[in-house]
Every structure is written in structure tokens, then in C-alpha cells.
Amino acid sequence: RINRLLFKWSRVDRSSIHLMWADLGAGKSHTLMHIKNICVDETGRGIFPVYSVMPKQLKTFLDLYRAIIAGLDFVEFSKMNITAFRTLRTRNEVVKRVFPEIPDAVQALNSLQSDNERVRNLAQQWIRGNSGMVKRDLNELGVTRKIATTDDAVAMLSGLIKLVEVSGRF
């Protein structure tokens, strides 16, 4: 079944999110980690796996976005961002091709490479959609607004998916 799912997913030419739902103790976590390991080991499948735990209370897409982002490896995405800049050559091109709806994402991703630990932490908080960020934090990071709405979350997730594509990660 897993091989059939992976085969089916690898043939789809668009991005998608797949949820697994089953009874307690049915082996969901084990199965999902197995799928993730297969995808990491066999990158030619064109699947970029992110393992996330569904929040107990899900009220908005922003809550789902935060759960998905919690499963991301920021070091990996930082490397993808560097590759995107090498490929597309300019900040304007990265914004235009990857993050047209949320250009502050480019600044936040660039800040993941900062020598300043506070700036790196602010970048991670911003990408996670942390609602506790204040204006001073945004200014220090060099962004104009937070990820605060469903539209922001969709734009950011869409941009991260494009970043994976542009970087050639899979």
C-alpha cells in the first residue's frame, strides 16, 4: 500500500498535503516516519516529506500552517534559499518567482544565515507565524508584517513549496 501511495503521489504534477487518520495505536506515526525515510533516501521520487503532528484544536488554516512549519528543518530551508539565489541570481527574481504574495519571506529566510543568534531566532519565529512578535521584533528582522492571516499562511506555504522546486531539492 505504501509503495502504491508513493507511486501515485510521485505522478501528481501539483503540490498537495496528505493527512492520515486512524485509531489510536494503529501505527500512524510509524507508517508516516517510514514514508518520510523512503522519500529522503529516494529523492528521485519528487516527494518532499514533512512530518507534522495535527494540533488538538484546529480553528483556522493558520493553525494547520503552524503545525506544518513545526515539522520543517530550518537549516535545510536555509540551504534551499541559498540555492534559489544562485539559480535566480537576484532578490527581485526570488520574490517574483517564489514569494510574490509575501516578499518579507525572502528577508526572513536570508536572516536564517545571520551571525546574530537573536536575528536567526526572530526569523524562525516569523516563519512559524508566531503571533507574539511585536513591531520592534519585525523591525529588527527587517520585515513589515507578521504571518497573521489565512492568506499569509497560504502564500508562505505556497512560496516554501516553490522554494523546494526552484532549489531542485527533490
Side-chain angles (χ1 to χ4, degrees):
R1 283 184 179 174
I2 290 170
N3 285 333
R4 282 194 308 251
L5 275 176
L6 291 171
F7 179 79
K8 181 180 171 184
W9 293 342
S10 69
R11 299 297 180 253
V12 176
D13 66 346
R14 65 190 187 294
S15 300
S16 58
I17 296 173
H18 301 275
L19 304 174
M20 181 182 284
W21 197 280
D23 291 330
L24 184 65
K28 298 177 296 292
S29 296
H30 177 83
T31 302
L32 290 171
M33 292 309 285
H34 180 65
I35 289 170
K36 181 178 179 180
N37 289 334
I38 290 171
C39 294
V40 168
D41 292 343
E42 301 173 15
T43 57
R45 289 183 183 265
I47 300 171
F48 185 80
V50 176
Y51 177 82
S52 298
V53 177
M54 187 67 68
K56 297 221 183 284
Q57 271 194 317
L58 194 61
K59 294 180 182 174
T60 67
F61 184 79
L62 194 54
D63 295 330
L64 179 60
Y65 167 81
R66 288 178 179 135
I68 292 168
I69 295 302
L72 295 185
D73 178 348
F74 285 109
V75 172
E76 184 70 31
F77 272 85
S78 181
K79 290 176 185 174
M80 286 184 223
N81 187 53
I82 291 168
T83 302
F85 267 81
R86 285 186 187 135
T87 302
L88 300 176
R89 305 209 192 274
T90 67
R91 182 187 191 287
N92 287 344
E93 235 0 78
V94 174
V95 168
K96 182 174 136 186
R97 297 259 313 269
V98 181
F99 294 104
E101 303 295 323
I102 192 158
D104 281 340
V106 174
Q107 177 62 31
L109 286 163
N110 286 342
S111 295
L112 291 173
Q113 291 290 315
S114 174
D115 292 334
N116 184 325
E117 185 177 353
R118 176 164 163 72
V119 171
R120 285 193 311 271
N121 288 335
L122 286 172
Q124 289 181 14
Q125 287 179 45
W126 188 88
I127 294 167
R128 285 186 179 114
N130 184 333
S131 60
M133 293 187 79
V134 296
K135 186 71 171 162
R136 181 182 50 122
D137 296 333
L138 300 177
N139 290 339
E140 189 173 347
L141 184 56
V143 297
T144 58
R145 62 189 175 105
K146 303 186 260 189
I147 297 172
T149 67
T150 295
D151 289 343
D152 295 340
V154 169
M156 188 64 187
L157 197 54
S158 175
L160 290 172
I161 291 166
K162 289 176 192 169
L163 183 64
V164 172
E165 293 171 6
V166 167
S167 72
R169 164 59 178 84
F170 62 95

Coordinates of all heavy atoms in Angstrom, one line a residue, residues 61-153:
F61 N -6.8 27.8 9.2 CA -5.7 27.3 8.4 C -4.4 27.7 9.0 O -3.4 27.0 8.8 CB -5.8 27.7 6.9 CG -4.8 27.1 6.0 CD1 -4.9 25.8 5.6 CD2 -3.6 27.9 5.7 CE1 -3.9 25.3 4.8 CE2 -2.6 27.3 4.9 CZ -2.7 26.0 4.5
L62 N -4.4 28.9 9.6 CA -3.1 29.3 10.3 C -2.7 28.3 11.3 O -1.5 28.1 11.4 CB -3.4 30.7 10.9 CG -2.2 31.5 11.3 CD1 -1.2 31.7 10.2 CD2 -2.6 32.9 11.8
D63 N -3.6 27.7 12.0 CA -3.2 26.7 13.0 C -2.6 25.5 12.3 O -1.6 24.9 12.7 CB -4.4 26.2 13.8 CG -5.0 27.3 14.7 OD1 -4.2 28.2 15.1 OD2 -6.2 27.2 14.9
L64 N -3.1 25.1 11.1 CA -2.6 24.0 10.4 C -1.2 24.4 9.8 O -0.3 23.6 9.9 CB -3.5 23.6 9.2 CG -3.0 22.5 8.3 CD1 -2.8 21.2 9.1 CD2 -4.0 22.2 7.2
Y65 N -1.1 25.6 9.3 CA 0.2 26.1 8.8 C 1.3 26.0 9.9 O 2.4 25.5 9.6 CB 0.0 27.6 8.4 CG 1.4 28.3 8.1 CD1 2.0 28.1 6.9 CD2 1.9 29.1 9.1 CE1 3.3 28.7 6.7 CE2 3.2 29.7 8.9 CZ 3.8 29.5 7.7 OH 5.0 30.1 7.5
R66 N 0.9 26.4 11.1 CA 1.9 26.4 12.2 C 2.3 25.0 12.5 O 3.5 24.7 12.8 CB 1.4 27.1 13.4 CG 1.3 28.6 13.3 CD 0.6 29.2 14.5 NE 0.6 30.7 14.3 CZ -0.5 31.4 14.6 NH1 -1.6 30.9 15.1 NH2 -0.4 32.7 14.4
A67 N 1.4 24.0 12.4 CA 1.8 22.6 12.6 C 2.7 22.1 11.5 O 3.6 21.4 11.8 CB 0.5 21.8 12.7
I68 N 2.4 22.5 10.3 CA 3.3 22.0 9.2 C 4.7 22.6 9.4 O 5.7 21.9 9.2 CB 2.6 22.4 7.8 CG1 1.4 21.6 7.6 CG2 3.6 22.2 6.7 CD1 0.5 22.1 6.5
I69 N 4.7 23.9 9.7 CA 6.0 24.6 9.8 C 6.8 24.0 10.9 O 8.1 23.9 10.9 CB 5.8 26.1 10.0 CG1 5.2 26.7 8.7 CG2 7.1 26.8 10.3 CD1 6.0 26.5 7.4
A70 N 6.2 23.6 12.0 CA 6.9 23.0 13.1 C 7.7 21.7 12.7 O 8.6 21.4 13.3 CB 5.9 22.6 14.2
G71 N 7.3 21.1 11.6 CA 8.0 19.9 11.1 C 9.1 20.2 10.1 O 9.8 19.3 9.6
L72 N 9.3 21.5 9.8 CA 10.4 21.9 8.9 C 11.7 21.9 9.5 O 11.9 22.3 10.7 CB 10.1 23.3 8.3 CG 8.8 23.4 7.4 CD1 8.8 24.8 6.8 CD2 8.8 22.3 6.3
D73 N 12.7 21.6 8.7 CA 14.1 21.8 9.1 C 14.6 23.1 8.6 O 14.8 23.3 7.3 CB 14.9 20.6 8.5 CG 16.4 20.6 8.8 OD1 16.9 21.7 9.3 OD2 17.1 19.6 8.5
F74 N 14.8 24.1 9.4 CA 15.2 25.4 9.0 C 16.6 25.4 8.4 O 16.8 26.3 7.5 CB 15.1 26.4 10.2 CG 13.7 26.8 10.5 CD1 13.1 26.3 11.7 CD2 13.0 27.6 9.7 CE1 11.8 26.7 12.0 CE2 11.7 27.9 10.0 CZ 11.1 27.5 11.2
V75 N 17.5 24.6 8.8 CA 18.8 24.5 8.1 C 18.6 24.1 6.7 O 19.2 24.7 5.8 CB 19.7 23.5 8.9 CG1 21.0 23.3 8.1 CG2 20.0 24.0 10.3
E76 N 17.8 23.1 6.4 CA 17.6 22.7 5.1 C 16.9 23.8 4.2 O 17.3 24.0 3.1 CB 16.7 21.4 5.1 CG 16.4 20.8 3.7 CD 17.6 20.1 3.1 OE1 18.5 19.6 3.9 OE2 17.8 20.1 1.9
F77 N 15.9 24.5 4.8 CA 15.3 25.6 4.0 C 16.3 26.7 3.8 O 16.2 27.4 2.8 CB 14.0 26.0 4.7 CG 12.8 25.2 4.2 CD1 12.5 23.9 4.7 CD2 12.1 25.6 3.1 CE1 11.5 23.1 4.3 CE2 11.1 24.8 2.6 CZ 10.8 23.6 3.2
S78 N 17.1 27.0 4.7 CA 18.2 28.0 4.5 C 19.1 27.6 3.4 O 19.4 28.5 2.5 CB 19.0 28.1 5.8 OG 19.9 29.1 5.7
K79 N 19.4 26.4 3.3 CA 20.3 25.9 2.1 C 19.5 26.0 0.8 O 20.1 26.4 -0.2 CB 20.7 24.5 2.3 CG 21.7 24.3 3.4 CD 22.0 22.8 3.7 CE 22.9 22.6 4.8 NZ 23.1 21.1 5.1
M80 N 18.2 25.7 0.8 CA 17.4 25.9 -0.4 C 17.3 27.3 -0.8 O 17.3 27.6 -2.0 CB 16.0 25.3 -0.1 CG 15.9 23.8 0.0 SD 14.2 23.4 0.1 CE 14.3 22.1 1.4
N81 N 17.2 28.2 0.2 CA 17.2 29.6 -0.1 C 18.4 30.1 -0.8 O 18.4 30.8 -1.8 CB 16.9 30.4 1.2 CG 16.7 31.9 0.9 OD1 15.8 32.2 0.1 ND2 17.4 32.7 1.6
I82 N 19.6 29.6 -0.3 CA 20.9 30.0 -0.9 C 20.9 29.5 -2.4 O 21.3 30.2 -3.3 CB 22.0 29.4 -0.1 CG1 22.1 30.1 1.2 CG2 23.4 29.5 -0.9 CD1 23.1 29.4 2.2
T83 N 20.4 28.2 -2.6 CA 20.4 27.7 -3.9 C 19.5 28.5 -4.8 O 19.8 28.7 -6.0 CB 20.0 26.2 -3.9 OG1 20.9 25.5 -3.0 CG2 20.0 25.6 -5.3
A84 N 18.3 28.9 -4.3 CA 17.4 29.7 -5.1 C 18.1 31.0 -5.6 O 17.9 31.4 -6.7 CB 16.1 30.0 -4.3
F85 N 18.8 31.6 -4.7 CA 19.5 32.9 -5.0 C 20.6 32.6 -6.1 O 20.8 33.4 -7.0 CB 20.1 33.5 -3.8 CG 19.2 34.5 -3.2 CD1 18.2 34.1 -2.3 CD2 19.3 35.9 -3.4 CE1 17.3 35.1 -1.7 CE2 18.5 36.8 -2.9 CZ 17.5 36.4 -2.0
R86 N 21.3 31.5 -6.0 CA 22.3 31.1 -7.0 C 21.6 30.9 -8.4 O 22.1 31.3 -9.4 CB 23.1 29.9 -6.6 CG 24.1 30.2 -5.5 CD 24.9 28.9 -5.2 NE 25.8 29.2 -4.1 CZ 25.9 28.3 -3.1 NH1 25.4 27.1 -3.1 NH2 26.7 28.6 -2.1
T87 N 20.5 30.2 -8.3 CA 19.7 29.9 -9.5 C 19.1 31.1 -10.2 O 19.2 31.4 -11.4 CB 18.7 28.8 -9.2 OG1 19.3 27.7 -8.7 CG2 17.9 28.5 -10.5
L88 N 18.4 31.9 -9.4 CA 17.6 33.1 -9.9 C 18.4 34.4 -9.9 O 18.0 35.4 -10.5 CB 16.3 33.2 -9.1 CG 15.4 32.0 -9.1 CD1 14.2 32.2 -8.2 CD2 15.0 31.7 -10.5
R89 N 19.5 34.4 -9.2 CA 20.5 35.5 -9.2 C 20.2 36.8 -8.4 O 21.1 37.4 -7.9 CB 20.9 35.8 -10.7 CG 21.4 34.7 -11.4 CD 22.4 35.1 -12.5 NE 22.6 34.0 -13.4 CZ 23.5 33.1 -13.3 NH1 24.2 33.0 -12.2 NH2 23.7 32.2 -14.2
T90 N 19.0 37.2 -8.4 CA 18.7 38.5 -7.7 C 17.5 38.3 -6.7 O 16.7 37.4 -6.9 CB 18.3 39.6 -8.7 OG1 17.0 39.3 -9.3 CG2 19.3 39.8 -9.8
R91 N 17.5 39.2 -5.7 CA 16.4 39.2 -4.7 C 15.0 39.4 -5.4 O 14.1 38.7 -5.1 CB 16.6 40.2 -3.7 CG 15.6 40.3 -2.6 CD 15.8 41.5 -1.7 NE 15.0 41.4 -0.5 CZ 13.7 41.5 -0.5 NH1 13.0 41.8 -1.6 NH2 13.0 41.4 0.7
N92 N 15.0 40.3 -6.4 CA 13.8 40.6 -7.1 C 13.2 39.4 -7.8 O 12.0 39.1 -7.9 CB 14.0 41.8 -8.1 CG 14.1 43.1 -7.4 OD1 13.7 43.2 -6.2 ND2 14.6 44.1 -8.1
E93 N 14.1 38.6 -8.4 CA 13.7 37.4 -9.1 C 13.2 36.3 -8.1 O 12.2 35.7 -8.4 CB 14.9 36.8 -9.9 CG 14.8 36.6 -11.4 CD 13.6 36.8 -12.1 OE1 13.3 38.0 -12.5 OE2 12.8 35.9 -12.5
V94 N 13.8 36.2 -7.0 CA 13.4 35.3 -6.0 C 12.0 35.7 -5.5 O 11.1 34.9 -5.4 CB 14.3 35.1 -4.8 CG1 13.8 34.3 -3.7 CG2 15.7 34.6 -5.3
V95 N 11.8 37.0 -5.2 CA 10.5 37.5 -4.8 C 9.4 37.2 -5.9 O 8.4 36.6 -5.6 CB 10.5 39.0 -4.5 CG1 9.1 39.5 -4.3 CG2 11.3 39.2 -3.2
K96 N 9.8 37.5 -7.1 CA 8.8 37.4 -8.2 C 8.4 35.9 -8.5 O 7.3 35.6 -8.7 CB 9.5 38.0 -9.5 CG 8.6 38.0 -10.7 CD 9.3 38.7 -11.8 CE 9.2 38.0 -13.1 NZ 9.9 38.6 -14.2
R97 N 9.4 35.0 -8.5 CA 9.2 33.6 -8.8 C 8.8 32.8 -7.7 O 8.1 31.8 -7.9 CB 10.4 33.0 -9.5 CG 10.9 33.7 -10.7 CD 10.5 32.9 -12.0 NE 10.8 31.5 -12.0 CZ 11.9 30.9 -12.4 NH1 12.9 31.7 -12.8 NH2 12.0 29.6 -12.4
V98 N 9.2 33.1 -6.4 CA 9.0 32.2 -5.3 C 8.0 32.8 -4.3 O 7.1 32.1 -3.8 CB 10.3 31.9 -4.6 CG1 10.1 30.9 -3.5 CG2 11.3 31.3 -5.6
F99 N 8.1 34.0 -3.9 CA 7.3 34.6 -2.9 C 6.6 35.9 -3.3 O 6.7 37.0 -2.6 CB 8.2 35.0 -1.6 CG 8.7 33.7 -1.0 CD1 10.1 33.4 -1.1 CD2 7.9 33.0 -0.1 CE1 10.6 32.2 -0.5 CE2 8.4 31.8 0.5 CZ 9.8 31.5 0.3
P100 N 5.9 35.9 -4.4 CA 5.3 37.1 -4.9 C 4.2 37.7 -4.0 O 4.0 38.9 -3.9 CB 4.7 36.7 -6.3 CG 4.4 35.3 -6.2 CD 5.6 34.8 -5.3
E101 N 3.5 36.9 -3.2 CA 2.5 37.3 -2.4 C 3.0 37.7 -1.0 O 2.2 38.4 -0.2 CB 1.4 36.2 -2.2 CG 0.8 35.8 -3.5 CD 0.0 36.9 -4.2 OE1 -0.6 37.6 -3.5 OE2 0.1 36.9 -5.4
I102 N 4.2 37.3 -0.6 CA 4.7 37.6 0.7 C 6.2 37.8 0.6 O 7.0 37.0 1.1 CB 4.3 36.5 1.7 CG1 4.6 36.9 3.1 CG2 4.9 35.2 1.4 CD1 3.7 36.2 4.2
P103 N 6.6 39.0 0.1 CA 8.1 39.2 -0.2 C 8.9 39.3 1.1 O 10.1 39.1 1.0 CB 8.1 40.6 -0.9 CG 6.7 41.1 -0.8 CD 5.8 40.0 -0.4
D104 N 8.3 39.6 2.3 CA 9.1 39.5 3.5 C 9.7 38.2 3.8 O 10.7 38.1 4.5 CB 8.2 39.9 4.7 CG 7.9 41.4 4.8 OD1 8.7 42.2 4.2 OD2 7.0 41.8 5.5
A105 N 9.2 37.1 3.2 CA 9.7 35.8 3.4 C 11.2 35.7 2.9 O 11.9 35.0 3.6 CB 8.9 34.8 2.6
V106 N 11.5 36.4 1.9 CA 12.9 36.4 1.4 C 13.8 36.9 2.5 O 14.9 36.4 2.8 CB 13.0 37.2 0.1 CG1 14.5 37.3 -0.3 CG2 12.2 36.5 -1.0
Q107 N 13.4 38.0 3.1 CA 14.3 38.6 4.2 C 14.4 37.7 5.4 O 15.4 37.4 6.0 CB 13.7 40.0 4.7 CG 14.4 40.6 5.8 CD 15.9 40.9 5.5 OE1 16.2 41.2 4.4 NE2 16.7 40.8 6.5
A108 N 13.3 37.0 5.7 CA 13.3 36.1 6.9 C 14.1 34.9 6.6 O 15.0 34.5 7.4 CB 11.8 35.7 7.2
L109 N 14.0 34.3 5.4 CA 14.9 33.2 5.0 C 16.3 33.6 4.9 O 17.2 32.8 5.4 CB 14.4 32.6 3.7 CG 13.1 31.8 3.8 CD1 12.5 31.6 2.4 CD2 13.3 30.5 4.5
N110 N 16.6 34.8 4.4 CA 18.0 35.2 4.4 C 18.6 35.4 5.8 O 19.7 35.1 6.1 CB 18.2 36.6 3.7 CG 18.0 36.4 2.2 OD1 18.2 35.3 1.6 ND2 17.7 37.5 1.5
S111 N 17.7 35.8 6.7 CA 18.1 36.0 8.1 C 18.4 34.7 8.8 O 19.1 34.7 9.9 CB 17.0 36.8 8.9 OG 16.9 38.1 8.3
L112 N 18.0 33.6 8.3 CA 18.4 32.3 8.9 C 19.9 32.1 8.8 O 20.4 31.3 9.6 CB 17.7 31.2 8.2 CG 16.1 31.1 8.4 CD1 15.6 30.0 7.5 CD2 15.8 30.8 9.9
Q113 N 20.6 32.8 7.9 CA 22.0 32.7 7.8 C 22.8 33.7 8.6 O 24.0 33.8 8.6 CB 22.4 32.9 6.3 CG 22.0 31.8 5.4 CD 22.7 30.6 5.6 OE1 24.0 30.6 5.8 NE2 22.0 29.4 5.7
S114 N 22.1 34.5 9.4 CA 22.7 35.6 10.2 C 23.7 35.0 11.2 O 23.5 34.0 11.8 CB 21.6 36.4 10.9 OG 22.2 37.4 11.7
D115 N 24.7 35.8 11.5 CA 25.7 35.5 12.6 C 25.0 35.8 13.9 O 25.5 35.3 14.9 CB 27.0 36.3 12.4 CG 27.8 35.9 11.2 OD1 27.6 34.7 10.8 OD2 28.5 36.7 10.7
N116 N 24.0 36.6 13.9 CA 23.3 37.1 15.1 C 22.3 36.0 15.5 O 21.3 35.9 14.8 CB 22.7 38.5 14.9 CG 22.1 39.0 16.1 OD1 21.5 38.3 17.0 ND2 22.2 40.4 16.3
E117 N 22.4 35.4 16.6 CA 21.5 34.3 17.1 C 20.1 34.9 17.3 O 19.1 34.2 16.9 CB 22.0 33.7 18.3 CG 21.1 32.5 18.8 CD 21.7 31.8 20.0 OE1 22.8 32.1 20.5 OE2 20.9 30.9 20.5
R118 N 20.0 36.1 17.8 CA 18.6 36.7 18.0 C 17.9 36.9 16.7 O 16.7 36.6 16.6 CB 18.8 38.0 18.8 CG 17.4 38.7 18.9 CD 17.4 39.8 19.9 NE 16.3 40.7 19.8 CZ 15.0 40.4 20.1 NH1 14.7 39.1 20.5 NH2 14.0 41.2 19.9
V119 N 18.6 37.3 15.7 CA 18.0 37.5 14.4 C 17.6 36.2 13.8 O 16.5 36.1 13.2 CB 19.0 38.3 13.4 CG1 18.5 38.3 12.0 CG2 19.2 39.7 13.9
R120 N 18.4 35.2 13.9 CA 18.1 33.8 13.4 C 16.8 33.3 14.1 O 15.9 32.8 13.5 CB 19.2 32.8 13.7 CG 20.3 32.9 12.7 CD 21.3 31.7 12.8 NE 21.7 31.4 14.1 CZ 22.7 31.8 14.8 NH1 23.5 32.7 14.2 NH2 23.0 31.4 16.0
N121 N 16.7 33.5 15.5 CA 15.5 33.1 16.2 C 14.3 33.9 15.8 O 13.2 33.4 15.7 CB 15.8 33.3 17.7 CG 16.7 32.2 18.3 OD1 16.9 31.2 17.7 ND2 17.4 32.6 19.4
L122 N 14.5 35.2 15.5 CA 13.3 36.0 15.1 C 12.9 35.5 13.7 O 11.6 35.5 13.4 CB 13.7 37.5 15.0 CG 13.9 38.2 16.3 CD1 14.4 39.7 16.1 CD2 12.5 38.3 17.1
A123 N 13.8 35.2 12.8 CA 13.4 34.7 11.5 C 12.6 33.4 11.7 O 11.6 33.2 11.0 CB 14.7 34.4 10.7
Q124 N 13.1 32.5 12.5 CA 12.3 31.2 12.7 C 10.9 31.5 13.3 O 9.9 30.9 12.9 CB 13.1 30.3 13.7 CG 14.3 29.7 13.0 CD 15.1 28.8 13.9 OE1 14.6 28.4 14.9 NE2 16.3 28.5 13.5
Q125 N 10.8 32.5 14.3 CA 9.5 32.8 14.8 C 8.6 33.4 13.8 O 7.4 33.1 13.7 CB 9.7 33.9 15.9 CG 10.3 33.3 17.2 CD 10.4 34.4 18.3 OE1 9.5 35.2 18.5 NE2 11.6 34.4 18.9
W126 N 9.2 34.2 12.9 CA 8.4 34.9 11.8 C 7.8 33.8 10.9 O 6.7 33.8 10.6 CB 9.2 35.9 11.1 CG 8.3 36.7 10.1 CD1 7.6 37.8 10.4 CD2 8.1 36.3 8.8 NE1 7.0 38.2 9.2 CE2 7.3 37.3 8.2 CE3 8.5 35.3 7.9 CZ2 6.8 37.3 6.9 CZ3 8.1 35.3 6.6 CH2 7.3 36.3 6.1
I127 N 8.7 32.9 10.5 CA 8.3 31.8 9.5 C 7.3 30.9 10.2 O 6.4 30.5 9.5 CB 9.6 31.0 9.1 CG1 10.5 31.9 8.2 CG2 9.1 29.8 8.3 CD1 11.9 31.3 8.0
R128 N 7.4 30.7 11.5 CA 6.4 29.8 12.2 C 5.1 30.5 12.3 O 4.1 29.9 12.7 CB 6.9 29.5 13.6 CG 8.0 28.5 13.5 CD 8.4 28.0 15.0 NE 9.4 27.0 14.9 CZ 10.7 27.2 15.4 NH1 11.0 28.3 15.9 NH2 11.5 26.2 15.3
G129 N 5.0 31.8 12.1 CA 3.7 32.6 12.3 C 3.5 32.9 13.7 O 2.3 32.9 14.1
N130 N 4.5 33.1 14.5 CA 4.4 33.4 15.9 C 3.6 34.7 16.1 O 4.1 35.7 15.7 CB 5.8 33.4 16.5 CG 5.7 33.6 18.0 OD1 4.8 34.2 18.6 ND2 6.8 33.2 18.7
S131 N 2.5 34.6 16.8 CA 1.7 35.8 17.0 C 2.2 36.7 18.0 O 1.8 37.9 18.1 CB 0.2 35.3 17.4 OG 0.3 34.6 18.6
G132 N 3.2 36.3 18.8 CA 3.8 37.1 19.9 C 4.8 38.1 19.4 O 5.3 38.9 20.2
M133 N 5.1 38.1 18.1 CA 6.1 39.1 17.7 C 5.6 40.5 17.7 O 4.4 40.7 17.3 CB 6.6 38.8 16.2 CG 7.3 37.4 16.2 SD 8.0 37.2 14.5 CE 9.5 38.2 14.6
V134 N 6.4 41.4 18.2 CA 6.0 42.8 18.3 C 6.7 43.7 17.2 O 7.6 43.2 16.5 CB 6.3 43.4 19.7 CG1 5.4 42.7 20.7 CG2 7.7 43.3 20.0
K135 N 6.3 44.9 17.0 CA 6.8 45.8 16.0 C 8.3 45.9 16.1 O 9.0 45.8 15.0 CB 6.2 47.2 16.1 CG 6.5 48.1 15.0 CD 5.9 47.7 13.7 CE 6.1 48.8 12.7 NZ 5.8 48.3 11.4
R136 N 8.9 46.0 17.3 CA 10.3 46.0 17.4 C 11.0 44.8 16.8 O 12.0 44.9 16.2 CB 10.7 46.2 18.9 CG 12.1 46.3 19.2 CD 12.4 46.4 20.7 NE 11.7 45.3 21.4 CZ 12.2 44.4 22.1 NH1 13.5 44.5 22.4 NH2 11.5 43.5 22.7
D137 N 10.4 43.6 17.1 CA 10.9 42.4 16.5 C 10.9 42.4 15.0 O 11.9 42.0 14.3 CB 10.1 41.2 17.0 CG 10.2 40.9 18.5 OD1 11.2 41.3 19.1 OD2 9.3 40.4 19.0
L138 N 9.8 42.8 14.4 CA 9.7 42.9 13.0 C 10.7 43.9 12.4 O 11.3 43.6 11.4 CB 8.3 43.4 12.6 CG 7.1 42.5 13.0 CD1 5.8 43.1 12.6 CD2 7.2 41.1 12.5
N139 N 10.9 45.0 13.0 CA 11.9 46.0 12.6 C 13.3 45.4 12.6 O 14.1 45.6 11.7 CB 11.8 47.3 13.4 CG 10.6 48.1 13.1 OD1 9.9 47.9 12.1 ND2 10.2 48.9 14.1
E140 N 13.6 44.7 13.7 CA 14.9 44.1 13.8 C 15.2 43.1 12.8 O 16.3 42.9 12.3 CB 15.1 43.5 15.2 CG 16.5 43.1 15.6 CD 16.7 42.6 17.0 OE1 15.8 42.9 17.8 OE2 17.7 42.0 17.3
L141 N 14.1 42.3 12.4 CA 14.3 41.3 11.4 C 14.3 41.9 10.0 O 14.8 41.3 9.1 CB 13.1 40.3 11.5 CG 13.1 39.1 10.6 CD1 14.4 38.3 10.8 CD2 11.9 38.2 10.9
G142 N 13.7 43.1 9.9 CA 13.7 43.8 8.6 C 12.5 43.4 7.7 O 12.5 43.4 6.5
V143 N 11.4 43.0 8.4 CA 10.1 42.7 7.7 C 9.0 43.7 8.1 O 9.2 44.4 9.1 CB 9.7 41.2 8.0 CG1 10.7 40.2 7.5 CG2 9.4 41.1 9.5
T144 N 8.0 43.8 7.3 CA 7.0 44.8 7.5 C 5.8 44.3 8.3 O 5.0 45.1 8.9 CB 6.5 45.4 6.2 OG1 6.0 44.3 5.3 CG2 7.7 46.1 5.5
R145 N 5.5 43.0 8.2 CA 4.3 42.5 8.9 C 4.5 41.0 9.2 O 5.4 40.3 8.8 CB 3.1 42.6 8.0 CG 3.2 41.8 6.7 CD 2.0 42.2 5.7 NE 2.2 41.5 4.4 CZ 1.5 40.5 4.0 NH1 0.6 40.0 4.8 NH2 1.8 39.9 2.9
K146 N 3.6 40.5 10.1 CA 3.7 39.1 10.5 C 2.8 38.2 9.6 O 2.0 38.7 8.8 CB 3.0 38.9 11.9 CG 3.6 39.8 13.0 CD 3.0 39.4 14.3 CE 1.9 40.4 14.7 NZ 1.5 40.2 16.1
I147 N 3.0 36.9 9.7 CA 2.2 35.9 9.1 C 1.0 35.8 10.0 O 1.1 35.2 11.1 CB 2.9 34.6 8.9 CG1 4.0 34.8 7.9 CG2 1.9 33.5 8.3 CD1 4.9 33.5 7.8
A148 N -0.1 36.5 9.7 CA -1.2 36.6 10.7 C -2.6 36.2 10.1 O -3.5 36.1 10.9 CB -1.3 38.0 11.2
T149 N -2.7 35.9 8.9 CA -4.0 35.5 8.3 C -3.9 34.2 7.5 O -2.8 33.8 7.2 CB -4.5 36.6 7.3 OG1 -3.6 36.7 6.2 CG2 -4.5 38.0 8.0
T150 N -5.0 33.7 7.1 CA -5.0 32.5 6.3 C -4.3 32.8 5.0 O -3.5 32.0 4.5 CB -6.5 32.0 6.0 OG1 -7.0 31.6 7.3 CG2 -6.5 30.9 5.1
D151 N -4.6 34.0 4.4 CA -3.9 34.3 3.1 C -2.4 34.4 3.3 O -1.7 33.9 2.4 CB -4.5 35.7 2.6 CG -5.9 35.6 2.1 OD1 -6.4 34.5 1.9 OD2 -6.5 36.7 2.0
D152 N -1.9 34.9 4.4 CA -0.5 35.0 4.6 C 0.1 33.5 4.7 O 1.1 33.2 4.1 CB -0.2 35.7 5.9 CG -0.5 37.2 5.9 OD1 -0.6 37.8 4.8 OD2 -0.7 37.7 7.0
A153 N -0.6 32.7 5.4 CA -0.2 31.3 5.6 C -0.2 30.5 4.3 O 0.8 29.8 4.0 CB -1.0 30.6 6.7

